Amino acid sequence: MDSLDSIKNFVDENRLALLYFGTETCSVCHGLEPQVKRLLEEHPKVKEKFIWVNDVNEVRGQFQLFTFPVLIMYVDGKEVFRMARFIPIVELREKLNRIVEFID
């Protein structure tokens, strides 16, 4: 994702969209990314984008990002939950399971 418009289009075009925001210098961001990718393999209906904020600086203000990493889940273009900084995979799995189950 190289622009704010491409991020917004991604959210609008996918019923279930998960945005993962991180920074190049955030070790937690890099360590959590593969765990989130493995978790999302369980939910093929959830489309994800990993966005390095250093590449698209204007997202900080647009998405109100104050700490990293940040995960934002959208259903039909509406934000349904946000997790930041310390993100327990078990809690994320439970939230995704509930959403996907509700949508099906």
Side-chain angles (χ1 to χ4, degrees), residues 35-95:
Q35 295 177 58
V36 172
K37 283 184 177 181
R38 276 192 304 275
L39 174 60
L40 290 174
E41 289 173 2
E42 299 171 18
H43 299 288
K45 292 181 180 181
V46 178
K47 304 305 179 199
E48 82 283 346
K49 285 297 174 193
F50 292 85
I51 300 148
W52 299 113
V53 175
N54 310 60
D55 297 337
V56 192
N57 267 321
E58 62 269 19
V59 299
R60 290 176 190 256
Q62 184 66 36
F63 290 94
Q64 300 176 352
L65 306 175
F66 303 106
T67 186
F68 297 97
V70 176
L71 293 170
I72 305 175
M73 180 71 195
Y74 293 88
V75 176
D76 295 328
K78 304 287 184 205
E79 182 177 329
V80 292
F81 75 80
R82 175 184 294 240
M83 300 175 80
R85 201 164 182 186
F86 301 109
I87 300 169
I89 290 296
V90 172
E91 184 180 336
L92 177 59
R93 176 178 279 115
E94 290 170 359
K95 288 178 182 260

